Amino acid sequence: MTEILYIILGAFVAYLMGSFITAIWYGKQYHGIDIRTCGSGNAGATNTFRVLGKRAGTIVMLIDIFKGWLATSLAVLLVRFDIIDPLQLDVYKLIYGLAAVTGHIFPIFERFKGGKGIATLLGMVFSIQFEAALVCLAVFLIVLIASKYVSLGSIISTLSFPLMIIFIPRFHTQTPIVIVFGFAIFLMVVLTHKKNIKRLFHGEENKTYLIPRKNH
């Protein structure tokens, strides 16, 4: 019973951490605006980049990644205090990480209207499988630079995580639920990007130029 209470408490704390929406806080604190009323209306790093510039976008992205990593890593405390078996660590990291991502998408502090959770999700993957997360980040950047679409980069890089776990021996896991999680997260990202996908098919999606265009 005590174990269950600790697990629930940890998940709740992770959700609260996820509910701290950096883009909203930064926009109001340093620019006096609610980022949700500008640009695409999304409370995330991409919209912050477009509306407030690279410095603001970078700060928001890094804090959101750290937030996801820290919330997920709360599970380590359960092992340190002998509340769970070390073999269960990845499972509880998944629980806490998903709680943080859920908090980012449906933040209790912002009337349940947050961002899409991509940076927080990346932080979660960093905590679970660091090397695979680096590859996912590389895939995202390659797709973004090639296509100029953040949404496409997010979708493809998310799909690359479970595929790497399955097909690349270096990333194999003894916790099969991680693979299930990977595909579940991919589905969640697709669902949260439905409007973006529709715009991609119609050629109306906003482009993001990571490498500045040359003026002719």
Side-chain angles (χ1 to χ4, degrees):
M1 191 65 177
T2 303
E3 177 183 337
I4 295 175
L5 288 176
Y6 275 117
I7 293 166
I8 293 174
L9 178 61
F12 180 66
V13 171
Y15 169 78
L16 292 179
M17 292 172 67
S19 291
F20 174 77
I21 309 301
T22 316
I24 297 175
W25 167 79
Y26 190 92
K28 289 180 178 179
Q29 184 72 23
Y30 294 99
H31 297 270
I33 64 170
D34 186 337
I35 196 69
R36 293 170 297 182
T37 64
C38 306
S40 67
N42 182 52
T46 301
N47 197 35
T48 304
F49 268 109
R50 293 194 184 113
V51 176
L52 301 179
K54 291 183 179 179
R55 181 175 182 273
T58 300
I59 291 172
V60 168
M61 179 180 65
L62 291 177
I63 293 177
D64 280 349
I65 290 174
F66 177 73
K67 175 180 72 176
W69 174 86
L70 184 61
T72 305
S73 298
L74 286 175
V76 175
L77 295 176
L78 298 181
V79 175
R80 293 280 175 86
F81 290 101
D82 294 321
I83 296 172
I84 64 170
D85 188 296
L87 294 176
Q88 296 178 298
L89 180 59
D90 281 349
V91 174
Y92 288 99
K93 279 189 172 183
L94 291 176
I95 294 171
Y96 288 3
L98 287 173
V101 173
T102 301
H104 186 91
I105 298 173
F106 305 107
I108 192 171
F109 304 128
E110 302 295 342
R111 298 181 180 179
F112 303 102
K113 184 182 179 182
K116 294 177 179 176
I118 299 300
T120 305
L121 175 61
L122 178 59
M124 175 185 179
V125 177
F126 267 121
S127 178
I128 295 171
Q129 176 51 274
F130 183 77
E131 291 182 341
L134 288 178
V135 177
C136 290
L137 180 59
V139 170
F140 170 78
L141 291 173
I142 290 170
V143 175
L144 173 59
I145 292 171
S147 69
K148 311 300 185 297
Y149 296 124
V150 172
S151 55
L152 186 62
S154 299
I155 293 168
I156 293 177
S157 62
T158 304
L159 178 60
S160 69
F161 177 70
L163 294 180
M164 283 189 293
I165 298 296
I166 294 172
F167 295 111
I168 301 179
R170 183 182 184 86
F171 300 131
H172 284 177
T173 176
Q174 295 181 340
T175 312
I177 196 173
V178 173
I179 299 173
V180 177
F181 146 77
F183 284 111
I185 288 297
F186 168 67
L187 178 61
M188 184 191 75
V189 169
V190 169
L191 292 175
T192 57
H193 285 76
K194 286 189 297 183
K195 293 181 180 178
N196 303 82
I197 293 171
K198 185 176 180 179
R199 289 196 294 266
L200 282 169
F201 276 113
H202 288 86
E204 300 170 350
E205 178 70 324
N206 294 321
K207 291 188 175 183
T208 297
Y209 293 88
L210 199 61
I211 300 175
R213 290 176 292 180
K214 294 181 180 180
N215 295 319
H216 296 286

